[in-house]
Amino acid sequence: MIGFTMFGVDPDDQNFWIYRFMIDEKYQGKGLSVPAIKLVIEEIKHINSDKLSDIMIGYNQQNLAAKYAYQKAGFMETEIAPWGEQLALFTL
C-alpha cells in the first residue's frame, strides 16, 4: 500500500468530497500523486449514480506539492474555507 484516500458525498452541500488523500512518505516525490488522484476521480465517476456534478478537496495553502498535483489532475482552486484550507473543485 502506498497511500490512503477517503471520499464521499457531504450531506451539507451534496458534493463529493475527497476528505483524505495521503501518499506514504516513502513514495512521495515519485510521480504517483496525479495518477492516484485520477484513479479516485474515476472511482467517483463509477459510483456516481445520482449524477452529482462536483468533487471538492481542501488542502493546506502552504502545501505547493498538493496544489500542483491537484491542478495537474484537473482541479481548479475556488476559495479559502472558513477553517483555513484552500478549496479546489473538479467538475465531473
Side-chain angles (χ1 to χ4, degrees), residues 36-47:
I37 295 164
K38 289 182 178 182
L39 285 172
V40 173
I41 292 168
E42 288 305 311
E43 179 62 19
I44 289 172
K45 286 179 180 179
H46 179 72
I47 66 168

Side-chain angles (χ1 to χ4, degrees), residues 1-45:
M1 185 164 85
I2 64 161
F4 172 82
T5 188
M6 181 174 72
F7 59 87
V9 177
D10 189 288
D12 293 332
D13 64 9
Q14 292 302 302
N15 291 320
F16 276 100
W17 276 80
I18 300 174
Y19 296 110
R20 297 284 182 271
F21 181 83
M22 300 179 282
I23 301 289
D24 187 281
E25 186 177 41
K26 295 182 294 190
Y27 296 97
Q28 292 177 10
K30 298 181 184 283
L32 299 172
S33 293
V34 175
I37 295 164
K38 289 182 178 182
L39 285 172
V40 173
I41 292 168
E42 288 305 311
E43 179 62 19
I44 289 172
K45 286 179 180 179

